[in-house]
Amino acid sequence: MRPIAWVVAGLVVAAGSRTAGAAGPSPPVPKNLCEKPGVCGRIDGVVRAAGSRTAMADVAVIAVPASSRRLPARADPASDRPAWIREVRTANDGSLTLVTPPGLVRLVIVAPGFDRFEAVIEVPRGGSAATQLFPRPLESNPYRTVVKTASEPTRAPSVAGRTLSREEIATLPGTQGDPLRALQNLPGVARTPGGLGLLVLRGANPNQSLVFVGEHPVPRAFHVLSLASVVPADVIDRIDFTPGNFDSRYGNATGGVVVIETRRGRRDGVHGFAKVDLTATGAMLEGPLGKRGGSFIVGGQRGYIDGVLLAAQKLLGEQDFLLPRYYDYQAMIEHPLRGGGTITARVIGSGDRLRLRRDGELAFDFRSDFHRADVVLRKRAGLWRLMVSPAFRYEIGRREVPAQMAVQHRRDYVSSLRAEAARELSQRFMLVFGADLQVDAFSARTLLQADSGVPGETMAQDATGTETWLGAYTTAHLRLGPLLLTPGVRAAGFVVGKATAFAIDPRLNGRLEVGERWSFRFGVGLYSQPRVSRYAADGRLVPGGARLGSDNLIVPTFFSNFEPLIVFQPLEDTLRVARALQASATAQHDFLAGYTAELTGFWREQNNGTPAQVLGQVLPGSRTRNYGLELLLRKPLTRRLYGWVAYTLMRSQLFTEARGPLPATRFTADFDQRHNLALIASYKLPRGWQVGGRFRLVSGTPYTPILGAVQYEGSFQAISGSYNSARFPPFHQLDLRVDKRWTLRRASVNAYLDVQNVYNRTNVEAYIYNYDFSSAAGGIGLPIFPSIGLRVDF
C-alpha cells in the first residue's frame, strides 16, 4: 500500500473521530482479505467536477468501511479504527476500479481546489457497484478556457498584448458577458457613444481596423447597435487584441487587428448551455466526434429586443422606436489526421434587421447578413509546420424606404485563401512564410422613384465589379538571450476594376526581458490599406456628414460608421493606398503581490491617400496623426478578486494640404478622445455570490457647432463653426453586476443582474436644434438599464 494512502486515511480518521485521542493507530490491512474468489466486490466509478462534469484525472480516492450510510464520517464510529483501507488514483478520463470487501464502503476524496467529498455505497459480494462521484469546486467556475492575447510561436509578440480570462469577460459589469465589448474597457480603445459596436483603436477610424475569425476577416464585429458580438464568448479559445504594430501576417489595415480563434469541442462527454435574458436567448452543444479524437460545437443566439420594444410601444402609445433584431450561429468540427495534423471545418453566420414604424406603417427597413464557411488544415512535414485555409463568404445588404419607393441592395461573393509555412532552423531562429488572397465579386442594384413623376414608376441602376487584394509576407523570430526580435516584411497588391496599386511594408517587433519582473516591448512599421472613391447610395441611418434632416440634429461622427454603405461602382482613377507609420513601446513590471503595471507610448502618422480630383472636384491631400500614452494597473483573476485601472491619454489630429485656392489647415480628428478612464473590480463572496462594478469617465467627442442661422425664402439655414471645434460634455457612468451561482451534480445555474448607468446619468450624445437654430436640447444616451438573465451549463 502506498504511504500516502495511510497519511490521507489517518487524516480522514482523525478529522472524523470523536474519540481520536484514545483510538490509537489503525491496524494493518490483512494480506489475504480478498484472495478467495467471490469474497470481495468491485467499485467501478468516474470522478467528475460538480457542475461542469469535467473528468478529474490523477485524483486519490480512499475507501474505508462504513457502519451506516450516515454522513459525514465524524458521525460514523466505525471509521475510528477501520479494519482495512484501500486507495486508488483516477485515470485520465476520471475512471477508477477498486476492489474492496463487501458491504457499506465510504469513499473519501480530498483534492486541491475542491471541497472534501464523501459518499457511502454498498458493494455486493462477488459483484460490482457502479457510481459517479461529483466533488464540488471551491470556486464555482464553468469557464474552462482562457481568452488572451498571447501569441502563438509563429506570430510576433504583441507590443500591447493583454490577457483576459473567460470568467473576467463573463462577469465584467456592463458588457453582458460579451468578449468584444469587454475589450472596449482596455487602454487604447475609445468609448463609442450610444453603446455603438465599434472598435476605435488608438484613434483610428473603425474602417481602418480588421476583425478576423480564424484565418479570415469578417465584415463586422458587432450586431447592429452593439447588442452583441457576432461570435459569442463560449466558442472562443483566445482573442489576439493588437491596437497597433501588429505583425506582417496581417494586412489591409492601418489601425489595429482583433483575431478571434475558436476553440475545439470537449471530448469528455456531451456538454452545453442554455441562456435567456431580456434581450436575447442562446444555446450551445459540444462533445466528442468519432473514436480518433474529433469533437464538435454547434450553437446560436437570437436577439428579440424588437419584440420588447413593440410591446413598450403599444403601452406608451405614439412612441416610435428603432426595432433591432439579430441572430448568429456557429458550427465547428475538429478532427485529427492520419500521420499527424488536424483539420478544422467552420460555418458561421450573422444577420441583423433594423426597422422603424410610424403610424403603423413601415418607414425604414435595413437588413445585413453574412454566412461563411472555412477549412483549416494543419500538418507537420519534417521540420516544417504547414497551414492551408480556404474560405467562402456570402454577404447581402438591403435598405428600403417605402415612402421614397427606394430599394437598394448589394450582394458580395468573397473567396479567400491563406497558406503559411514555418520552420525552426535552430533553437534561436525561426522563419515564417505566408500568403493571403481575397477576391470580392459584388453586384448591386437600386430602385428609385422615376424623375417622370408618374406614381409607381421606378428607375433601376445596376452595377457589378471585383475587388481583389493579395499579400505575401515573411517574419523571422530571432532570440538573443533575453531579447526576442521579429523583423518582417509584407508586400501587397490591390486591384479594383482595372486599377492597381502596390505597397511594401517592413515591420519590426521585439521583446526584452530584464530580470524576473521587468519587460519591455517595442514595435515600428508601415501599414497599408486601399482607398477608392465610389458612386454610392448611403444605406446608413446617419449619413457620413453626421447630420440628419435640415441640419437640426448633430451627432458624433461615430454614428455614421455603425452601418455599412450600400456601395456601387468604384470611380475611375481614384484607387489610392493609405499608408500609416506606427511606432509604440511598452514597459511592464510585475509586483510581488500579483499586480502588474504597464505604460505604453504610441505614435501613428497616416497619409490618407486622397485622390487629387473626384468627378472634377479638387480635393486637398490629408494626413492623420494619433499619439498618446496608455496606463494599465491590473490585478489578474485570483481566487476571489480581479480588476484594473485603465487610462488613455490621446491626441488625434487631421491635417489638410494646401491645393489650389484651398489653404493648409489643422483640425481635431473625428475620433479624438483626450481622456479615457475605466475602473473595474469584481469580488467573489461566499455561497456562490459575486459582485462587481465599472466606472468610466471619458472626454466628450468633437463635433462641428452651429453658430447661428440666416432666414432664406421662409426657412432657416444653419451657419456652422469651424470643423470639430466643439465637444460634447464629458461622459461618466457607473455599472453594477451581481451574479449568483448554484453548483449541482451535473449542471450549474447562474442568475445575474447587470445594471448599466446606475445613478441614471444624463449623458448627452446628440444636440437637437429648434426650427431657427436659436436653441438646442441635448439628446441623451442610455438611461438606467437593468438586464436580468439566467444561464444553465451542463
Side-chain angles (χ1 to χ4, degrees):
M1 179 171 204
R2 299 182 182 179
I4 188 173
W6 289 105
V7 174
V8 174
L11 293 174
V12 170
V13 172
S17 177
R18 292 175 296 179
T19 59
S26 299
V29 178
K31 294 183 178 180
N32 60 351
L33 184 63
C34 289
E35 290 183 353
K36 295 182 180 181
V39 172
C40 286
R42 188 178 75 246
I43 300 175
D44 296 316
V46 177
V47 180
R48 300 181 182 275
S52 65
R53 296 187 292 125
T54 303
M56 297 177 61
D58 197 32
V59 171
V61 180
I62 307 299
V64 296
S67 63
S68 69
R69 292 184 178 275
R70 292 182 299 171
L71 292 174
R74 64 180 60 92
D76 186 6
S79 66
D80 291 347
R81 297 177 61 87
W84 52 265
I85 299 175
R86 290 286 188 268
E87 181 257 351
V88 69
R89 302 193 78 85
T90 58
N92 290 335
D93 59 356
S95 62
L96 64 93
T97 299
L98 190 64
V99 178
T100 70
L104 295 178
V105 176
R106 185 182 306 279
L107 299 179
V108 181
I109 300 175
V110 181
F114 289 81
D115 288 330
R116 171 193 171 99
F117 175 85
E118 295 186 20
V120 175
I121 64 174
E122 185 171 359
V123 180
R125 179 183 296 271
S128 63
T131 184
Q132 294 193 55
L133 310 175
F134 295 94
R136 185 185 299 271
L138 290 176
E139 299 177 22
S140 299
N141 177 14
Y143 310 102
R144 298 171 293 274
T145 56
V146 173
V147 178
K148 58 184 181 179
T149 62
S151 301
E152 290 185 350
T154 59
R155 300 184 184 180
S158 173
V159 180
R162 296 173 182 113
T163 299
L164 292 181
S165 74
R166 289 186 62 201
E167 184 172 3
E168 288 175 310
I169 290 175
T171 59
L172 190 66
T175 65
Q176 282 78 49
D178 191 273
L180 293 181
R181 292 180 68 182
L183 290 182
Q184 292 178 322
N185 297 279
L186 292 175
V189 185
R191 181 246 165 200
T192 54
L196 294 180
L198 301 172
L199 287 175
V200 181
L201 307 181
R202 292 180 176 171
N205 187 301
N207 298 322
Q208 294 168 350
S209 299
L210 286 178
V211 176
F212 287 76
V213 177
E215 306 298 332
H216 307 274
V218 292
R220 61 181 180 276
F222 292 93
H223 290 291
V224 67
L225 300 181
S226 184
L227 299 173
S229 300
V230 296
V231 180
D234 299 277
V235 301
I236 293 176
D237 177 59
R238 73 170 188 273
I239 295 180
D240 292 338
F241 164 60
T242 311
N245 286 109
F246 49 91
D247 66 67
S248 59
R249 194 170 193 267
Y250 302 104
N252 203 29
T254 57
V257 296
V258 176
V259 182
I260 300 173
E261 292 288 358
T262 57
R263 64 179 178 88
R264 66 182 61 183
R266 297 175 63 181
R267 293 259 323 149
D268 59 340
V270 178
H271 300 267
F273 75 87
K275 66 176 182 179
V276 61
D277 60 28
L278 293 181
T279 61
T281 184
M284 190 189 76
L285 196 67
E286 61 181 313
L289 183 66
K291 299 180 179 180
R292 296 176 49 203
S295 62
F296 74 91
I297 299 177
V298 293
Q301 61 177 337
R302 170 68 157 81
Y304 43 73
I305 196 172
D306 57 334
V308 176
L309 293 176
L310 278 173
Q313 184 172 312
K314 292 180 180 179
L315 292 175
L316 297 176
E318 298 180 356
Q319 295 289 328
D320 294 319
F321 296 104
L322 281 173
L323 304 174
R325 184 174 68 191
Y326 68 90
Y327 71 88
D328 59 64
Y329 63 88
Q330 310 81 34
M332 288 157 275
I333 296 174
E334 182 171 296
H335 205 276
L337 299 174
R338 294 184 183 274
T342 61
I343 184 170
T344 303
R346 279 184 293 244
V347 178
I348 62 175
S350 171
D352 293 87
R353 187 177 185 184
L354 191 64
R355 293 174 296 155
L356 178 64
R357 302 186 70 88
R358 288 178 179 168
D359 301 326
E361 300 293 332
L362 182 66
F364 177 89
D365 192 357
F366 171 83
R367 298 191 64 175
S368 178
D369 301 73
F370 79 86
H371 309 274
R372 197 191 81 181
D374 67 287
V375 177
V376 183
L377 174 64
R378 302 182 188 274
K379 189 174 180 61
R380 281 187 176 270
L383 299 177
W384 289 91
R385 283 182 289 176
L386 307 177
M387 184 275 295
V388 177
S389 178
F392 178 78
R393 186 175 79 239
Y394 171 68
E395 302 175 33
I396 182 169
R398 189 176 191 275
R399 175 180 183 262
E400 180 180 359
V401 184
Q404 301 175 5
M405 299 184 63
V407 178
Q408 302 152 343
H409 63 82
R410 169 172 167 150
R411 290 182 173 89
D412 290 80
Y413 306 87
V414 184
S415 301
S416 56
L417 175 68
R418 181 183 292 273
E420 192 170 271
R423 178 171 177 175
E424 293 187 17
L425 301 178
S426 69
Q427 293 183 346
R428 297 185 176 183
F429 187 64
M430 181 176 68
L431 277 176
V432 180
F433 303 94
D436 50 12
L437 169 69
Q438 178 171 297
V439 180
D440 181 357
F442 67 88
S443 63
R445 172 169 244 212
T446 181
L447 293 173
L448 298 172
Q449 170 68 48
D451 295 334
S452 63
V454 178
E457 185 175 348
T458 60
M459 55 181 288
Q461 286 182 318
D462 296 280
T464 59
T466 302
E467 300 181 47
T468 304
W469 58 271
L470 170 66
Y473 57 90
T474 181
T475 302
H477 296 243
L478 177 62
R479 183 169 292 280
L480 303 172
L483 176 63
L484 173 63
L485 293 175
T486 54
V489 63
R490 180 181 181 89
F494 310 101
V495 181
V496 178
K498 297 181 180 180
T500 59
F502 303 91
I504 297 180
D505 299 330
R507 301 169 189 177
L508 173 66
N509 285 352
R511 181 185 180 95
L512 176 64
E513 303 287 346
V514 182
E516 296 182 357
R517 302 194 176 278
W518 281 98
S519 64
F520 297 91
R521 302 187 297 273
F522 57 89
V524 62
L526 288 174
Y527 299 83
S528 301
Q529 185 177 34
R531 176 176 180 178
V532 63
S533 299
R534 313 169 186 266
Y535 289 109
D538 197 338
R540 299 173 292 196
L541 290 182
V542 179
R547 289 186 182 177
L548 279 178
S550 301
D551 293 340
N552 288 86
L553 173 62
I554 293 182
V555 297
T557 307
F558 285 87
F559 282 85
S560 66
N561 289 268
F562 85 95
E563 288 177 28
L565 288 170
I566 307 297
V567 180
F568 291 94
Q569 188 70 34
L571 297 175
E572 294 184 2
D573 195 29
T574 61
L575 174 62
R576 299 293 186 272
V577 176
R579 307 202 69 191
L581 172 65
Q582 295 189 18
S584 57
T586 298
Q588 177 177 326
H589 180 68
D590 300 326
F591 295 94
L592 290 174
Y595 294 86
T596 61
E598 294 181 22
L599 180 63
T600 300
F602 64 90
W603 180 282
R604 176 176 173 269
E605 187 90 14
Q606 174 168 313
N607 181 343
N608 294 321
T610 308
Q613 288 189 356
V614 174
L615 297 177
Q617 182 181 0
V618 176
L619 300 179
S622 67
R623 57 189 174 90
T624 304
R625 177 181 298 164
N626 306 318
Y627 58 93
L629 294 173
E630 301 166 359
L631 175 65
L632 178 64
L633 301 176
R634 186 173 176 205
K635 174 68 173 178
L637 179 65
T638 57
R639 181 177 178 181
R640 294 193 179 277
L641 173 69
Y642 75 83
W644 64 82
V645 178
Y647 173 68
T648 303
L649 173 65
M650 188 194 70
R651 187 75 182 269
S652 183
Q653 296 174 307
L654 175 66
F655 300 86
T656 62
E657 302 172 354
R659 181 169 296 179
L662 302 176
T665 55
R666 180 177 66 179
F667 303 103
T668 299
D670 292 335
F671 301 97
D672 180 81
Q673 204 164 89
R674 197 67 49 84
H675 304 279
N676 193 322
L677 174 67
L679 308 176
I680 294 169
S682 184
Y683 189 78
K684 290 184 178 180
L685 299 170
R687 300 183 181 275
W689 289 93
Q690 183 167 344
V691 295
R694 176 183 66 172
F695 176 76
R696 289 185 294 172
L697 176 62
V698 185
S699 297
T701 51
Y703 73 96
T704 302
I706 294 178
L707 304 180
V710 295
Q711 189 172 7
Y712 179 75
E713 293 184 354
S715 63
F716 291 87
Q717 293 185 349
I719 301 175
S720 299
S722 298
Y723 184 76
N724 280 350
S725 59
R727 289 183 179 272
F728 288 93
F731 167 93
H732 59 85
Q733 178 176 302
L734 175 66
D735 307 318
L736 296 178
R737 182 182 175 105
V738 179
D739 288 81
K740 169 60 177 168
R741 181 168 296 278
W742 296 269
T743 302
L744 311 177
R745 293 181 63 189
R746 301 176 181 272
S748 63
V749 180
N750 183 65
Y752 62 87
L753 172 64
D754 195 318
V755 184
Q756 297 187 58
N757 199 3
V758 171
Y759 51 78
N760 201 24
R761 157 76 177 179
T762 302
N763 288 302
V764 176
E765 307 280 21
Y767 282 123
I768 305 172
Y769 285 83
N770 63 353
Y771 72 100
D772 62 356
F773 300 95
S774 60
S775 63
I780 64 172
L782 183 72
I784 183 171
F785 182 79
S787 178
I788 301 174
L790 183 70
R791 171 172 169 146
V792 179
D793 289 79
F794 59 91

